[in-house]
Amino acid sequence: METMNATPETYAQMIVALSALGIDCETDERFTNVLDNMLLFALEDGSFEKGKGSGSNQMSTEQAFYAMVAYSRYLADKNTLHNTVNRHGKHADHAG
């Protein structure tokens, strides 16, 4: 995958989409660098920068964490981020 103009947000959206499609971005040979490439933008304080040397960026950090949650949910065999139906077939906001 070409990384020249990619940002952590680019990789984050790929991770979210792959997780929703049931594709493991760490083991599928077509996408094995996606997570690693996103993590290249991580800073020591846990935030993410948009470009190398640009410093912490709120949107980059939010998107990276969003992707990590999506991938974590995929690994735990939980609903995808965009699936609002809980295990009992009710929407989460009406689960009562």
Side-chain angles (χ1 to χ4, degrees):
M1 161 177 248
E2 179 63 44
T3 60
M4 185 182 233
N5 294 319
T7 66
E9 294 96 319
T10 304
Y11 296 117
Q13 290 303 312
M14 290 177 69
I15 293 165
V16 171
L18 292 169
S19 296
L21 292 169
I23 299 171
D24 192 330
C25 65
E26 284 285 276
T27 61
D28 189 302
E29 65 185 33
R30 298 169 296 173
F31 307 106
T32 54
N33 292 326
V34 174
L35 182 59
D36 290 338
N37 286 341
M38 184 185 76
L39 294 174
L40 291 174
F41 294 91
L43 299 174
E44 286 186 23
D45 67 357
S47 67
F48 284 73
E49 57 187 348
K50 190 168 194 84
K52 284 302 188 184
S54 65
S56 182
N57 179 279
Q58 182 177 346
M59 180 59 74
S60 298
T61 302
E62 290 173 4
Q63 291 292 305
F65 277 89
Y66 185 78
M68 289 188 278
V69 169
Y71 187 56
S72 175
R73 293 182 66 79
Y74 164 77
L75 291 176
D77 200 29
K78 293 184 177 181
N79 288 351
T80 64
L81 286 177
H82 302 331
N83 183 346
T84 60
V85 177
N86 66 26
R87 291 187 303 167
H88 303 290
K90 298 179 182 178
H91 286 282
D93 58 346
H94 296 96

